[in-house]
Each structure stands twice: as structure tokens, then as C-alpha cells.
Amino acid sequence: MADYQQIVDEIRYALQSESCELTEELQNAAREYSLACREVNQRLRKIGTYLDGGLRSEAIQLAEGPPNIEELVNALNFPEQEEWADVVTIYDLPRNEPLMLRVIEQLVEAQVVDLPLKGLMSRHRLLALHRAPLRSRLSVLRELVTADPETPSWEEDVRDFEKARFQEIAEEARVAQRSGDLGRLKQLHEEISGTAWLETPPASLMKIVKTSAGELTRKTAQRQLEELAVELEAAFGELDFPRSRILATRWKESLRQAGAGFQSPLLEQITPILNWVQDEEAREAAEKQYQHLIARLESELDQTSSLDDLDQIVHEIQRLDRDLPELLAIRYQNRRDTIQLRQTRVHRLQFGTVLAVIVAIAVGIGFLVRQQVRANEADRIADQVEDLLENRQWDEAQKVLAARDDITQWDRLTELQTRLATDLKQEEQRRNQLATLLASAQNAKTFREAMESVEQAKQLTISAEEKIALSNLQQEREKKHNELMAAQEAAFNNSVRQGQDLLTKIQDSMGDGPGDNVVGESLTKVASIIGGLQQQTPEMRPEFASRVQLLEARRKELDELRKQRLVYQQRIEDLTSRSYISSNELNSGNAVSQYCTALLAYADAISLEQAAELYRARAAEDKHWKAALLWSNRVGSWKEIWPNDLTEMTKRVDDSRQFLTDNAGAPDSAQVKRYADQLESVISITGHVEGSGAGLQTRLLRIFSSPLIEKSWCLKTKDDRVFYVPKEITIPQTGLPNFEFYVGYGEEDIDIQKRIKPSDLISLEATPSPSRVLANFVKHQLASLPPGQWNEFCFELCTKILNDKDLNDYLKLDLLKRCLDLAAKGDVFLKDQLDPHLKLLQEASINPLARWMNPDDPDGKRATNDSQQVLSHFRRLKDLGDVWKDAEQQRNQFMDSMKRTVTMVGWLQAGPKWTCHVDKSQSLPDSDLLVAFTPSGTTVSEWRLIGQIADGEVQFKPGTSEFLAPGRPVFAIQKLPKNSSPITMTRQPE
């Protein structure tokens, strides 16, 4: 920045001088100014590219980086630009590029837009640096999209982040489902369904989250139902209605979450409790309404209310099938009588006024109306008597009538006198009947009979005294009844608890002795207790009947469980007895089929359908079990593992190949294949039966039968050159002898050497070549070599080749490679051990056409040197003696494993801990325990070691749970000797 300002200051100083002469300083300033403008424009172009591409933040960052681009442009864009352009033209100075001021304008606009985004950008960078969760980073990115819609990169980032978030949600949903985290699943569901996504959430993801949440909700609800059932039973047993009501509400909510298809014995078990809660709630609501109406009636009685209002309240109370309290009923009746009497008096007063007017008129008329007055008096007396009769005031009515001696003259009075006699007779009958009912209620033997008499007496009571007496009698009987019921309920509760305790003991002991006689006797005893309780319930409250129903439902459930466990135990015993199949079993396939039948029967006896399906699915593995026993039986019938007769070898190869064809996926497939491969390798040493075909021995002879290798002689020069000549020759001591020598492997590959002097040779007589010596050794040994000594011969031959110091390195490498290859083809175990050695030799980058036998051939020399390097690496590999020794050990281990026949001895049962059921009637020696396990994605089963039998007890090996499966049979195999390391029986070495 300081340099730019200095350049501009020098230019402006020159422009402000009078002459503006061309000086060296001005030329340098013009050149540096032009260079500065070009550098600044380069940076401005890059900033412009960022801005055009929507990378506003990157452009601002580049502009503000030291030195600040705006400061540079301000410094270079001095006011005298036009004058400077004229000076440049006059003196032909370097022209500067016009500054890209348009970019500065765009930059300023970008800074104005970016200023409000700095907070969001800072949060965005901070979250990115701390690798915050995608959910947090997405929230900030969405704010950036809203705040900066002109930058398309934000929306692209949001879409990329949302796709990644979808994957996270799917994984989090799976984790939450496995851990049972319903809250987390609900959060994920809310996020996936409630967020405004730019990318449409995959339908599969929506389904996973929704299904997982729904399934876990149902499982959680079902588990809560089981817990609530226990709490409801406890609350019901204590008749704790408030707690039962709360639990019933929670039960209904959990039942709704468990789904419409939820089925469980709990539903039938809890229904009586729910009905009791519902009845209690209805009773409580009715009681509240009753108390409310009683309070209204008392309030109305205290006020000046109409008769209709009082009657309406009483009618509503009667609709609840409830009676008024005795004192309140008396108040109501008295108030009602008072209101009626008042209304009657008003009527009479009105009537008397009219009568007075009539009398006044009558007096005015005179004596003629006197008779009418007497008639009216009689009517008045009749009305009075009628009112008294209506109010049941018979004594007063009798007095009024007795004061008249002209009753017979008036029909109405005569009728009222007759009515009075009838009412008195009826009242006497009512009183007698009421007295009888009161006596009956007092002397009734049962509370129900007493209450029936009380209810009948209530219809006959009229006076307050009668109602009070009846109420006292009712309270007395209720008190005695409550005392009696309290004693009965206590005894009832004791019986219920006794039944519950017995059922609990039965349930606890069910696992120890399912279906035994003790459990059966206990269930019979509980049934007797329940029968006695059922006889008592008609005299008791409804909730006690519900408790008996609940007890009976639980008894039936345990009795059914006992029957199921009887069948279940029988299925286990049958399955266990059929799970023992010896390797000597002649018809082991049929025995395995019988085991599968027992396995399916056991699955049918399991109540949990999901677990039953696991056992049913296991029967599909029967082909592997049959194959394992078939192969073990076949091996057990052999007298020796490795036969010496070629015919027997061929037969076993055919049998083994056919076994693999017929029993694809057998757990011994790898062992059978390896056995067949080894036999074929041994057969290939000498060829096919009866000598047909070219065996390994014949191929080895061919290797050493080429003229160069078998018939060559050597002439060596003092400069370490070796000529391979086709015959034994002696070089004359004088002249330049001409002799033939090999330049290839065949008899035609001959050249003539004309430039060697006798004095150049170490010896004038040709000596046998190292390869000729090896060829003679091979022919001599193979002439009488038994197939069983092939491996030892190959080892000796390869060792000779490797250690021969006179053998050409190229030929040594070639012979060693071919001989080791034939040795490997004769023994699969040796092939495994020789694999790194052969790989080194076969992958060596050496010219195969090099004429190594020609000492003057440059390619041959180069190939020989390369071979020397390869052989140097070869010697650093495992020593051949150790290779042959390890192959022999591996072969012996394989033979030991072949001799270890398997026996099917038991089966696996799932539970809190895995159980291996074995037939205790069979004597089981200490053995390793195996299962036939099929890895995921394959169809070939493999043996997996899961434990051992020691002293007759099964011991599982830690870390083998993935190989265990419900219903899978367990096989026993003899333990390997302690000094023998186990070999892999599942797959061939790679």
C-alpha cells in the first residue's frame, strides 16, 4: 500500500511541475504504476468472478484481505488521470489498464447486503467449525435463505444438508426404536412432518419414523397396560375408588394407544374393575345431583316459593330413585299444607264477601229469602267439613257435624257424614297396617326383608310422628346390618386374600414344577374358596361380586396355564429325547425329520406367536443337520483316512463330489472339498488309474528332458563365462578351436563359437553341466519312487536346486518355480504353505525369452542378474524345511479333524439365558459343542464352536450368542488333543 501511494505521489508531483520533463524517475513510476494497475485489476477480476457466481462472502473476504482492495483503488485512482494519459502518450510511456471501478461498485452493494447477514454468517461458521449437529446448522441455513434470497448457494446447501439429515433421521429412528426411546421417536416424527423442507422427505423415511413411533407407542402402551393391571387389582382389592378412577383413566388412554387389534387376557381380567369404577362414578354423580337438589329444596323452603317450584324439585329428586330425608320431607309436607290452606282461605274470604252482599240484598228483600240463607249456611258448614276432611282433621269435622241437628235436611251434609265414617274406618285400617309393617320390619330376620317392610311402610306414613318413628326404625336396622356386613366383609376379604395368596404361590411355583400334583391341589382349593365366596355375594355390595369374578378369572387363567405348561413340558421332553442322534445312526435323515416334527409341535405349544415362528423357521435348516450326520457316518465307516489304493482314492473322490452336489450348504462342505482335492492331488502324482494320463512325475521328467538340461556339458572361461555344449569334448591346445554351444533349449538351438582361445578356458575338457547332474538325479529317483514319498522327493529336489552354486540363476529360478508348482499340485496342504514362495517366483518381472545360456547375450545377462535378485528375496521367505514341516503338521491336523465324528446331542431354547437341553439318559463324554450356522447373505452353513460338555454339564463359550438360535440342534465332537492346535473347518485358506 505504501509503495502504491509513493508511485502515485511521484506521478502527481511530476504532473504538478511546470515542465513535466521526462526523467528516469518518471519512467520508473509509469512502469510501476502500469504494473500496479494490472495487479489490482487481476484481484478485481477474481472478486468480480466471485460476485457473479454468487460467492458474495468469499468476494468480500478477498477484498478486505490485506491490502484492502478499496484502499488500493482509491490510491491508484488519483484525480489527474486525464493529464497523466496525455503525458503517457507524449512520452510513449507504458500505458496502464483502466481500473475496474464497476467491480468496486458491485463490491459496495455486496457489503451493504452482507452487513445484516454477518451475525448469521458468524453462527454458520462457528457451527461448521465445531461440527455441530445437522439440525442446528440447517436452522441457520434456512435463516440465511430467507435473509439472502439472491444467493442460490444457500438453497443448494440447505438441500444437501436436508438429504444428509434424512439419513441421520433414519439412523436415529432405528437407534431410538432399538433402545425404546419413544420420546425421541416423537421428536423425529414432529421434525420430519412439521418442518418446511425444500427437499421432499422420502416416503420410506416418513414410513420408517411413523411406523417405528407407532410400533413403539403400542409396545409401550401394552407394557403400561400390564403395569396398570397390577395397580388396578391392588387398588380394587383395597376398594380405593379415587386411585382406581385415576388408574382407569390411564388404562383407557394406554388401551387406545395399544391399538384396536390389541388382544390380551388382561382385558377380560380388568373389565369387572372398570365396570365397578364406572358404577361408582355414576353413583357419585347421582349423589352430587341429589345433594344439589336437597340444597335447592332447603333454600326454597326458607323462601316464599310457589307450590309448583317445590313440587318440581321433589319430582326431580324422585327421578333419581331417592327419598327425601325424613325431617326435610316433613318440612316439605307442612309447607305444602300451609300453602294449600292459605289458598283455600283466600277462596273462602272471597266467597264470604259475595255472601255478605247477598245477605244484605236478602235483608232488603225480606223474609222471603230467609230460607235461602239457611241453605247457604248449610253449604258453608259443608265446605268447612269438606276442608277438614281434606286436611284429615276428622275430630274437628265430627264436632262441626254434631253441632247440627238438621243434617238430614241437607243432602250435602248427609254425604259428608257418610264420608267421615268411611275415612275413619280407612284411617283405622291404615294405622293397623302400618303397625303390622313396623312390627315386621322390627322382627325381620334379614335386612332385605326389613327394608322391604320399611319401603311398604313409607307409603302408609302420613304424620311427622309416624315418619320419625319409621326413620328411627330404619336407622336402627341399617346400623345392625352395617355391623353385620362389616363382619361379613372382613371375613370375605380374608377369604379373598387367602385365595389371592394361594394363586400368587401357584404362579410363583409354576416355573419350578409346572403341572405337578401340588399345583393341581392348590387350584382345587382356590376353586372351593371361590365357590364359598360366590354364595355370599348376593347379600353383599356389587364390587364384592366383581372381586370374586376377578379371582375366578385369575384361577382359570392359571389353570389354563398349568394345562399349557403340561403340554409344553411334554413337548420339551419329547424334543429333547429326539435331539440325540448318534453318528452311527443308520437312518439319521429319518431321525432328523422326527426331530423337526417334534420341533414344530413344540412351537405350537408356545403361546407367544413371534417366538413360535422362530422355532418353526429353524426346521428349514434340517438339510444341513442331515448332511452333517451323513458325512460323519460315512467317515466313521472308513478304516483309514488316507487310502493307499488308487482305486479306493478315486471312489472316495467321486463319493465326496457327489456328497457336495447332493448336500449343497452342508457344514462340512469345506472339509469334504478339501479332502477330495487332496485325494485328487495324490492321484495326480502318478496319473489316473491304470496309468492313463500324464501325472506329475511324468511332467517332472519332461522338465528335465530338454537337451540343454539333460545332455549339456560346460566349458568355463577365465572371465566367468559358461558355454553349454551338446557333447563331451576336449579343446586342442593350439589354434582357435570352433565348438558348438546351446543358445536355446532344443537340439536345433546351436551356435558356433570361433573366438575363444584355449588359453581363455579354465579347462580344455568339458564337464557335466549342473542341470545334467540334476536330471540324472531326477530320473534315477523317479524310476522307483512310491507316490507316498513324492513330497519328500520334491523337498530334496527343490533344496538341491536352491543350494546348487554352479547352476545359472535364471535356470535355477525357472526350475525352482516349476518344481515347486508340481510339488504344490501334489499336496493341497503344501500348496497353502508354498503360496507366498510361488507368488514371488511367478510374479517376478523377468524376460521369458532371454537367452541366458549365451554368455554374450546382453538380455540373457540382464535376466540372469534379475533372477539373482529374485532368489535373494526368495531366501528371505520361510525356509523350505519349515514349509514342508508345517504342511505335514497341517495335514495331520486335518486328519485328526476328519476322525472327529459328530453326534447330535441337544437343542437350544431361548430365554433370559440360553438353555441347551440334552438327554440326561445318554452318557455324554467331555466334548466340544458345535452348531451349524449359516452366515447372512450365504447359503452354505459352517461349524461354529459355542461351548463344551464338561463333567456332563453344558458350558457356553462367551461371545458366541450370534450363532445361537431357538430350536437349533447342538452337536458334540471329541476334543482335540492338548498338543494339537485347532484348524479351520469352515472355509479354505485364501
Side-chain angles (χ1 to χ4, degrees), residues 51-264:
L51 292 173
D52 293 339
L55 303 176
R56 182 178 56 250
S57 299
E58 289 78 357
I60 294 175
Q61 185 177 1
L62 179 60
E64 294 178 349
N68 187 287
I69 193 67
E70 293 184 57
E71 295 177 359
L72 292 178
V73 171
N74 290 334
L76 295 176
N77 189 30
F78 56 89
E80 299 85 3
Q81 286 288 328
E82 295 182 2
E83 291 87 342
W84 174 245
D86 294 339
V87 172
V88 168
T89 303
I90 293 172
Y91 292 121
D92 195 18
L93 296 174
R95 296 181 178 276
N96 59 282
E97 297 179 5
L99 293 174
M100 302 174 67
L101 301 178
R102 181 186 60 81
V103 176
I104 294 297
E105 295 175 358
Q106 293 177 335
L107 180 62
V108 172
E109 294 177 359
Q111 290 173 335
V112 172
V113 174
D114 191 66
L115 185 61
L117 301 178
K118 281 190 175 181
L120 287 174
M121 290 298 299
S122 177
R123 287 171 56 196
H124 178 54
R125 283 192 293 269
L126 184 63
L127 292 175
L129 288 174
H130 288 79
R131 296 183 178 179
L134 285 179
R135 187 176 182 182
S136 301
R137 297 175 68 182
L138 260 173
S139 176
V140 176
L141 278 173
R142 291 191 177 108
E143 291 183 40
L144 285 170
V145 170
T146 303
D148 187 16
E150 296 181 359
T151 303
S153 60
W154 295 131
E155 183 173 334
E156 295 174 1
D157 289 347
V158 169
R159 292 183 181 275
D160 292 339
F161 274 56
E162 286 183 349
K163 292 177 182 177
R165 179 59 184 157
F166 291 153
Q167 297 176 0
E168 279 190 355
I169 291 175
E171 180 60 27
E172 290 178 13
R174 285 189 286 268
V175 172
Q177 185 180 24
R178 287 195 298 268
S179 61
D181 191 348
L182 180 59
R184 182 57 183 152
L185 276 175
K186 290 182 177 179
Q187 291 176 357
L188 294 175
H189 185 264
E190 291 175 359
E191 180 180 354
I192 197 69
S193 59
T195 305
W197 303 90
L198 297 182
E199 288 288 329
T200 303
S204 58
L205 176 61
M206 298 284 288
K207 183 177 181 181
I208 287 174
V209 175
K210 185 176 181 180
T211 303
S212 300
E215 182 178 352
L216 192 55
T217 299
R218 288 191 294 274
K219 290 182 179 178
T220 303
Q222 293 171 10
R223 186 171 59 254
Q224 290 174 347
L225 287 174
E226 296 176 357
E227 298 172 356
L228 289 172
V230 176
E231 296 183 28
L232 273 169
E233 288 181 1
F236 180 65
E238 299 172 3
L239 295 180
D240 188 347
F241 170 66
R243 183 181 171 207
S244 298
R245 177 164 57 183
I246 295 173
L247 293 174
T249 303
R250 291 171 56 193
W251 169 275
K252 294 175 183 177
E253 177 61 21
S254 298
L255 186 62
R256 183 188 64 79
Q257 294 178 352
F262 175 71
Q263 296 293 332
S264 172

Side-chain angles (χ1 to χ4, degrees), residues 579-596:
S579 67
Y580 182 86
I581 305 175
S582 172
S583 59
N584 299 325
E585 179 74 34
L586 295 179
N587 197 352
S588 58
N590 185 48
V592 171
S593 297
Q594 292 178 1
Y595 170 79
C596 290

